[in-house]
Amino acid sequence: DAGVTQSPTHLIKTRGQQVTLRCSPKSGHDTVSWYQQALGQGPQFIFQYYEEEERQRGNFPDRFSGHQYPNYSSELNVNALLLGDSALYLCASSLANPSNAPLHFGNGTRLTVT
Amino acid sequence: AQSVTQLGSHVSVSEGALVLLRCNYSSSVPPYLFWYVQYPNQGLQLLLKYTTGATLVKGINGFEAEFKKSETSFHLTKPSAHMSDAAEYFCAVSPQGGRRALTFGSGTRLQVQP
């Protein structure tokens, strides 16, 4: 049973460029959340998708956007990249119910902005 | 608003010694509480969680944590450290119910000395 898979594993972009990160949730999971983990910090919540809609959003600018497809996979898009966007981006999936269903994390995409 | 404070960004113990990682939270509503572990270049793995019921929670790899409402704490312990326990540990909190956005602490790096 495959867990949460993310692609690519590493990415190098230049300031001002746009990037798309991809996530396939664990089999059977229907909710996908994205987190940003800067070096030496805990993960910070970006947003969550369920039924192809953004359900919750953290304190991130509109440059960060996402999408969820009918097969529950998800994308994270970041426009106009800044040096400060360099981080590990983690995708987590879960069941929408029960409410205490655990999150399963992927291994992340390491984004470096130069 | 919720927040998590992990006391001690680095903790070093000898193999076989007690592990104690501290976590205090702030929440205006009764929270769910979690401990995650992160090994280098990997995502986060759930160690244990408190939702309701028994306040002493047992997790994987011999770890346990106790929810103390009066102290707003959820410290992680393990009676005897093993070399393989060396990793980054994150405490997290989320509101009860609904689809949960986790708020993470800044992490504690555990070193285990031979």
Side-chain angles (χ1 to χ4, degrees), chain B residues 25-40:
Chain B
Y25 69 91
S26 172
S27 177
S28 58
V29 297
Y32 290 162
L33 294 158
F34 307 82
W35 275 99
Y36 283 85
V37 61
Q38 185 176 36
Y39 297 99

Side-chain angles (χ1 to χ4, degrees), chain A residues 19-108:
Chain A
V19 68
T20 297
L21 310 182
R22 295 177 173 83
C23 172
S24 293
K26 181 179 170 65
S27 178
H29 285 184
D30 54 10
T31 301
V32 174
S33 301
W34 288 91
Y35 289 80
Q36 180 196 65
Q37 185 178 16
L39 197 62
Q41 301 293 321
Q44 284 195 299
F45 175 71
I46 303 175
F47 44 54
Q48 180 188 80
Y49 277 83
Y50 171 66
E51 292 185 334
E52 302 178 51
E53 290 188 16
E54 184 182 293
R55 299 293 179 168
Q56 292 184 67
R57 189 178 184 92
N59 188 26
F60 279 81
D62 292 346
R63 297 187 298 108
F64 289 77
S65 63
H67 189 80
Q68 185 180 37
Y69 294 93
N71 67 352
Y72 309 120
S73 67
S74 177
E75 291 179 352
L76 163 65
N77 301 291
V78 187
N79 294 322
L81 284 166
L82 304 173
L83 294 180
D85 295 331
S86 295
L88 180 68
Y89 288 85
L90 295 166
C91 173
S93 72
S94 65
L95 293 169
N97 293 293
S99 63
N100 61 358
L103 292 181
H104 292 252
F105 283 84
N107 287 339

Side-chain angles (χ1 to χ4, degrees), chain A residues 36-44 86-88 110, chain B residues 6 8-10 38 88-90 104-109:
Chain A
Q36 180 196 65
Q37 185 178 16
L39 197 62
Q41 301 293 321
Q44 284 195 299
S86 295
L88 180 68
R110 173 75 63 188
Chain B
Q6 291 185 239
S9 58
H10 290 82
Q38 185 176 36
E88 188 90 20
Y89 291 80
F90 293 95
F104 285 87
S106 56
T108 297
R109 181 165 298 279

Side-chain angles (χ1 to χ4, degrees), chain B:
Chain B
Q2 299 181 311
S3 65
V4 176
T5 301
Q6 291 185 239
L7 296 176
S9 58
H10 290 82
V11 170
S12 182
V13 301
S14 298
E15 191 172 20
L18 170 72
V19 175
L20 171 61
L21 305 182
R22 299 178 186 275
C23 172
N24 288 88
Y25 69 91
S26 172
S27 177
S28 58
V29 297
Y32 290 162
L33 294 158
F34 307 82
W35 275 99
Y36 283 85
V37 61
Q38 185 176 36
Y39 297 99
N41 300 314
Q42 292 189 23
L44 283 74
Q45 180 183 10
L46 180 66
L47 280 176
L48 49 79
K49 63 179 181 180
Y50 169 78
T51 54
T52 58
T55 56
L56 181 62
V57 181
K58 294 186 184 299
I60 63 172
N61 301 339
F63 285 94
E64 63 182 36
E66 186 172 9
F67 169 55
K68 292 187 177 180
K69 185 177 178 181
S70 62
E71 299 177 7
T72 60
S73 69
F74 191 57
H75 302 331
L76 182 71
T77 61
K78 182 174 181 178
S80 177
H82 191 272
M83 296 296 290
S84 61
D85 295 327
E88 188 90 20
Y89 291 80
F90 293 95
C91 181
V93 62
S94 76
Q96 289 190 15
R99 302 178 190 90
R100 314 140 313 281
L102 295 178
T103 299
F104 285 87
S106 56
T108 297
R109 181 165 298 279
L110 176 65
Q111 291 182 312
V112 182
Q113 308 291 340

